[in-house]
Amino acid sequence: MASKEEMFAEAAKNWDLERLYKALAEAKRQIAPGSRSGLTSTEKLYLRGLLCGHSPAEIAQKMLQTPKSAEVYLCKTLYQYVMKVAGAPNESVGNWRNICNWLEEAGYKPQPSIESKFSSSLPIDALVKIVDMGFENQNTLTIDINIRLEFPSSSETPKTEDLNQNN
């Protein structure tokens, strides 16, 4: 089983976690001044899980807890902090999915720039290879070309696409 720090680490790819941790820690200090300062590792874990789109029940299962205990924990802690940070109405969260929506509206999910969207769709490497060239008669030139394009992917290994006229 992964450590608490490693679980739901992919949240860091789409969310400004450090800024969010600081804001939630300040909200926690205001709501529960007698509690431990800063977010606990469990609070951070639940937050990352929610930000990755996991329900409280799914997070509880990964932590070997009951869904009910996860709901109670979230209601007493994280949900209150998020509502304060996001300026959400003082009512119940309603649905755990609201957490992501509120935090995104509050600016904790940076939008990728147009350049990064564009550059991630460009080929890494383009290779054009002339395979055969010949004259059928004095007026006709025939050229067979193979084109190979490598596009970036979300994984570390680039994907290769061969476009071959002979296939």
Side-chain angles (χ1 to χ4, degrees), residues 88 110 127 155:
L127 174 67
S155 66

Side-chain angles (χ1 to χ4, degrees), residues 45-90:
L45 172 72
Y46 272 102
L47 176 64
R48 289 192 310 270
L50 292 171
L51 296 176
C52 287
H54 296 285
S55 71
E58 291 169 332
I59 299 167
Q61 183 181 14
K62 289 185 183 273
M63 294 179 62
L64 306 175
Q65 296 177 345
T66 66
K68 186 65 178 170
S69 67
E71 280 292 338
V72 169
Y73 181 79
L74 284 168
C75 287
K76 288 184 175 183
T77 60
L78 210 56
Y79 288 170
Q80 293 180 37
Y81 315 152
V82 168
M83 287 170 52
K84 181 149 186 78
V85 165
N90 287 336

